[in-house]
Amino acid sequence: MTMQIKGLTAFIGISLPLIAIAGSAVAYVIKIYRESATIRREQFFELMKLLDDKGTIAAKVAAVYHLRQFPEHKDFIVRFCEIQKDNILGDRGLYLTAEMQLTLEHFSKR
């Protein structure tokens, strides 16, 4: 009986620290995942702010191109590009309109 108790004590002595380490690792991964999601969401909103600013056409074209990296927002991006491409005026806006059309085509393939 004492051998069983010693074996159980040894098992618990080894298992508990390993369980604690595994729990800490899982908590760390969850924390990193949440931080990554927050950063990604902030990047998306920064792109949308750039498109709303009075910045350069080149910056807006690049922002529209980069929107393709956010497939989780596909429905919104498609609606946004469909509405906005019809509201862009001027010769310089042709590049932006063309990029919006390419972004629409990109998402229609998926």
Side-chain angles (χ1 to χ4, degrees), residues 8-24:
L8 184 59
T9 304
F11 177 75
I12 291 172
I14 292 171
S15 298
L16 285 180
L18 292 176
I19 290 170
I21 290 170
S24 295

Side-chain angles (χ1 to χ4, degrees), residues 13 15-17 21 27 40-43 51 57 59 62 65-67 74 78 84 93 97 102 108-110:
S15 298
L16 285 180
I21 290 170
R40 189 156 170 78
R41 188 171 35 257
E42 289 172 0
Q43 289 174 338
L51 289 169
I57 292 292
Y65 174 78
H66 194 68
L67 286 175
K74 172 187 172 184
V78 166
Q84 290 302 314
T97 304
L102 289 171
S108 72
K109 294 176 188 174
R110 294 175 171 234

Side-chain angles (χ1 to χ4, degrees), residues 32-92:
I32 295 296
Y33 177 78
R34 286 184 180 163
E35 288 174 357
S36 174
T38 299
I39 290 169
R40 189 156 170 78
R41 188 171 35 257
E42 289 172 0
Q43 289 174 338
F44 178 76
F45 283 106
E46 287 298 318
L47 285 173
M48 295 309 297
K49 284 180 192 175
L50 181 62
L51 289 169
D52 195 39
D53 270 350
K54 299 250 187 249
T56 66
I57 292 292
K60 291 176 190 263
V61 170
V64 169
Y65 174 78
H66 194 68
L67 286 175
R68 298 175 197 170
Q69 303 302 313
F70 295 91
E72 65 272 22
H73 299 297
K74 172 187 172 184
D75 294 337
F76 172 77
I77 294 168
V78 166
R79 284 192 314 269
F80 175 80
C81 287
E82 285 175 343
I83 292 167
Q84 290 302 314
K85 75 182 182 86
D86 295 332
N87 294 331
I88 299 169
L89 303 172
D91 293 337
R92 292 179 1 162

